[in-house]
Amino acid sequence: MSALAITGEGSLTGGRPAPGGTDRRRRSSTAGWLLFPSLTLVLAGLILPLALMARTSVAHFDAASPDLVGFTLENYARFFGEPFYLTILARTLLVALSCTAICLVLGVPAAFVISRVESRTLKTALILATIIPLLMGNAVRAAGWMVLLADKGLINSALLSAGLITEPVRILYTGSAVVIGLIAVLLPFMIISLQSVFEGIGDAYEEAAQTMGAPPWTAFFRVTLPLAMPGIFSGCLLCFVLAMNAYATPVLIGGPSFQMMAPKVFEQAIKVYNWPFAATIALVLMAVTLALSVASSLALQKRYGAL
Amino acid sequence: MAVSRTSSVRATTAGSFRPVMIGGCILAFVMVLAPLAAIVWVSFFENKIISFPPTGYTLDWYRAAAAMPQFRDGFVTSLKLGVVATLVSMFVGVPAALVLARGRFSGREAIQSLLLAPLIVPGIVAGAALYMFLIEVELASGVQVAMTFWGLAIAHSLIALPWTVRLITASLIGLDPQLKEAALTMGARPFTAFRLVTWPLIRPGVVAGALFAFIASFVDLEKSLFLVGPGVTTLPIVIVNYLEWSIDPTIAAVATVQIAIISAGLVVTDRYFKLARAF
């Protein structure tokens, strides 16, 4: 087997002329031309705008003119000085962390079952049932939750007619509605990240552990889950980042009083027209998300080794 | 005695493993699918004000939604944007994928993360940044791009790019260069070798890349939010604007049409390219 691999490799490199200096130079110049359009698009459409945004965040706000004037930290001072904005940041963090935790608890069994289902049809169906909602867009799902959670929605109507409650419970336009809505949005990302990892681990390790006397729960928590740690981490990170930046769900089912960071960026940029402050909120959001992601990945690396 | 007790404890916890896992799985899928099922159901309700159970069922709301210009225009704009974004992302993404698939070279990691960055930078941040940038460009040059179709087209091409680059690179890397070499050795011209050997092998990845690019563009909300203007609004934004005021069976019908289009697109994609591989 290994001999075969070596011969295969030998013929692969032996069959081609050795890359000489001119050949390599020609290759790298064509590479430059091939990469030019895509890199231009990303630089002009994303990197330069982000740089300008960083510049805007340290400009002085003047309602009368859109020009960027001055270098000042007043926008950051305002954000970190006003309890109003710090509360919004704290609320966003709290929502993102609780959504991530709940997604993990629900996503692990879902992904595990998908990866161990024997019927191919059922597996395909479950994967489609994960990926279709994942790519559905948030507006449509927010609409679904509005129908389910409203005072006259399906859940309240069902509870009322079952006699379990006497008047509708307020769910829509509360923090719990936002958490519920976000879980539905993020769970597919968690399931798909974990499913591929469980699939890759296979069931041989569990079986080995169980053969040696470990009960299924022990085998799962002591063998399978630690092996799946990289996938669990990337799934959690994805959920956390997406929850931090959620826009449609808090706006539509959180209502005007449940404010989070992403809608504030929009409000300041488009409704108040205070670009420096909008840029500041956007960059604080990105920086906090990034800092927590890096910190958690470092902490996990210490605990579990390279991820 | 002691042995039999531990084994019975073991049996009960062992017995709980499968039901708990399957129960968690069912709960997860209920959470994910319930809002979609609810909106599809409501779109057939006869009563305009949503209440349960419905007084009857009708298809009238689909006709009503189709007759409303904002939904029609939003749908057409989203469709056109999706096509433009897919074409642009293929034209610029395929050459990039060809380079990335060549294997290791210095700077490969950096280029790859740059090309995938649009997927990682949060939509709301990227959208706000692009909006401010385009307005500054307009102030400097006098050319209006923000709040026009082409401003949205830039944003949507960026949304689509990571998907085409990722999926096409993946399918090119899986390709064995010896297959094409064999065809060339046996006398095939380069184009014939590409058409008969390389293309059939990478087609699933290319088709999936294009379809994912289209869908990612079609459903985008956050990036477009800042860039839409009078006369150019995408369907998801029309839906959100409508939902901020009211929810009724008409909007449910619009949402159901979106669900149907995307589900059909993904079921077709899955036949070419196993969807689970795309993530």
Side-chain angles (χ1 to χ4, degrees):
Chain A
M1 186 64 201
S2 68
L4 246 174
I6 290 165
T7 5
E9 209 151 290
S11 76
L12 198 83
T13 45
R16 285 185 194 162
T22 44
D23 189 39
R24 190 176 298 162
R25 208 170 305 134
R26 197 180 320 131
R27 275 178 61 117
S28 69
S29 87
T30 53
W33 282 111
L34 291 171
L35 286 169
F36 180 73
S38 50
L39 289 178
T40 311
L41 181 63
V42 175
L43 285 175
L46 183 70
I47 306 300
L48 280 180
L50 283 177
L52 179 76
M53 182 177 240
R55 166 70 187 91
T56 310
S57 76
V58 290
H60 173 71
F61 173 56
D62 178 2
S65 114
D67 295 335
L68 296 174
V69 280
F71 272 99
T72 164
L73 286 175
E74 64 192 26
N75 301 303
Y76 289 93
R78 178 178 169 202
F79 186 92
F80 290 106
E82 285 184 27
F84 177 71
Y85 291 105
L86 288 178
T87 315
I88 293 179
L89 179 60
R91 182 183 295 135
T92 307
L93 276 168
L94 186 68
V95 167
L97 288 172
S98 27
C99 286
T100 307
I102 300 172
C103 281
L104 183 62
V105 170
L106 288 175
V108 164
F112 188 75
V113 169
I114 296 178
S115 70
R116 297 293 184 267
V117 155
E118 275 168 24
S119 139
R120 288 229 56 92
T121 329
L122 184 56
K123 182 176 273 195
T124 307
L126 288 175
I127 287 177
L128 277 174
T130 312
I131 292 178
I132 289 173
L134 187 152
L135 291 167
M136 192 54 71
N138 300 341
V140 167
R141 271 174 299 174
W145 287 115
M146 290 169 85
V147 166
L148 289 170
L149 302 176
D151 288 356
K152 287 185 177 167
L154 183 62
I155 289 173
N156 270 317
S157 306
L159 290 175
L160 278 171
S161 66
L164 289 171
I165 52 173
T166 48
E167 55 186 78
V169 185
R170 185 137 197 90
I171 316 174
L172 195 60
Y173 307 127
T174 66
S176 356
V178 175
V179 172
I180 293 174
L182 277 177
I183 291 168
V185 168
L186 305 174
L187 202 44
F189 289 94
M190 181 69 91
I191 297 177
I192 221 70
S193 313
L194 293 178
Q195 181 262 340
S196 61
V197 179
F198 283 138
E199 203 88 54
I201 295 170
D203 48 13
Y205 294 104
E206 278 153 54
E207 269 172 24
Q210 291 190 29
T211 315
M212 289 189 272
W217 282 115
T218 315
F220 183 72
F221 279 112
R222 307 267 310 265
V223 177
T224 314
L225 269 193
L227 283 171
M229 218 49 208
I232 290 177
F233 177 68
S234 60
C236 287
L237 203 59
L238 194 57
C239 284
F240 175 73
V241 172
L242 290 170
M244 286 293 285
N245 293 288
Y247 175 83
T249 314
V251 165
L252 290 176
I253 60 187
S257 59
F258 193 83
Q259 295 189 326
M260 284 174 64
M261 291 286 277
K264 273 280 160 223
V265 176
F266 181 71
E267 184 198 279
Q268 288 294 324
I270 300 290
K271 293 181 183 157
V272 184
Y273 225 70
N274 185 343
W275 285 10
F277 198 51
T280 303
I281 302 178
L283 288 176
V284 168
L285 177 59
M286 218 164 95
V288 169
T289 313
L290 202 66
L292 280 174
S293 314
V294 171
S296 59
S297 110
L298 289 179
L300 272 172
Q301 263 177 26
K302 236 181 186 170
R303 175 97 170 67
Y304 289 96
L307 288 175
Chain B
M1 189 64 194
V3 171
S4 78
R5 221 178 75 191
T6 31
S7 68
S8 80
V9 167
R10 198 171 277 172
T12 44
T13 52
S16 75
F17 183 73
R18 270 176 67 94
V20 168
M21 282 293 171
I22 291 172
C25 178
I26 290 171
L27 187 59
F29 278 104
V30 167
M31 284 291 288
V32 171
L33 298 176
L36 298 179
I39 208 75
V40 173
W41 187 29
V42 164
S43 75
F44 299 113
F45 277 22
E46 196 181 66
N47 35 321
K48 185 168 170 48
I49 293 173
I50 298 169
S51 63
F52 295 88
T55 54
Y57 292 98
T58 172
L59 285 172
D60 286 351
W61 306 115
Y62 286 86
R63 217 168 297 136
M68 288 171 81
Q70 79 246 46
F71 291 130
R72 240 185 6 232
D73 293 349
F75 182 75
V76 172
T77 308
S78 282
L79 216 55
K80 283 201 291 197
L81 271 176
V83 171
V84 170
T86 307
L87 289 177
V88 171
S89 70
M90 295 295 270
F91 272 117
V92 307
V94 169
L98 286 171
V99 176
L100 289 177
R102 278 183 193 169
R104 290 168 186 283
F105 56 88
S106 61
R108 185 180 185 277
E109 290 292 307
I111 288 168
Q112 187 168 352
S113 8
L114 206 56
L115 293 179
L116 299 184
L119 206 61
I120 294 150
V121 177
I124 203 96
V125 176
L130 183 59
Y131 165 74
M132 292 175 188
F133 182 70
L134 290 178
I135 297 277
E136 291 293 335
V137 167
E138 186 184 335
L139 289 175
S141 69
V143 185
Q144 192 195 350
V145 191
M147 292 177 273
T148 68
F149 180 81
W150 295 108
L152 280 169
I154 297 175
H156 281 241
S157 304
L158 277 166
I159 297 166
L161 183 67
W163 292 102
T164 49
V165 169
R166 233 165 85 164
L167 295 183
I168 296 172
T169 307
S171 65
L172 284 170
I173 285 177
L175 199 66
D176 185 348
Q178 291 188 70
L179 290 173
K180 197 178 92 184
E181 277 164 27
L184 291 173
T185 318
M186 287 191 272
R189 291 172 193 202
F191 181 72
T192 315
F194 174 79
R195 188 170 58 89
L196 294 178
V197 179
T198 311
W199 172 244
L201 289 168
I202 64 169
R203 189 174 50 198
V206 175
V207 172
L211 277 159
F212 268 86
F214 179 83
I215 291 171
S217 153
F218 195 85
V219 301
D220 177 78
L221 178 72
E222 282 89 351
K223 268 206 187 78
S224 321
L225 203 57
F226 293 89
L227 297 163
V228 295
V232 270
T233 308
T234 64
L235 187 62
I237 290 179
V238 177
I239 295 178
V240 168
N241 288 344
Y242 192 97
L243 284 173
E244 280 196 80
W245 295 104
S246 69
I247 175 146
D248 58 28
T250 311
I251 194 75
V254 175
T256 305
V257 171
Q258 186 178 325
I259 294 174
I261 291 175
I262 292 174
S263 308
L266 284 171
V267 171
V268 171
T269 315
D270 191 57
R271 306 192 69 144
Y272 286 93
F273 186 94
K274 282 291 149 218
L275 285 176
R277 279 174 57 203
F279 293 90

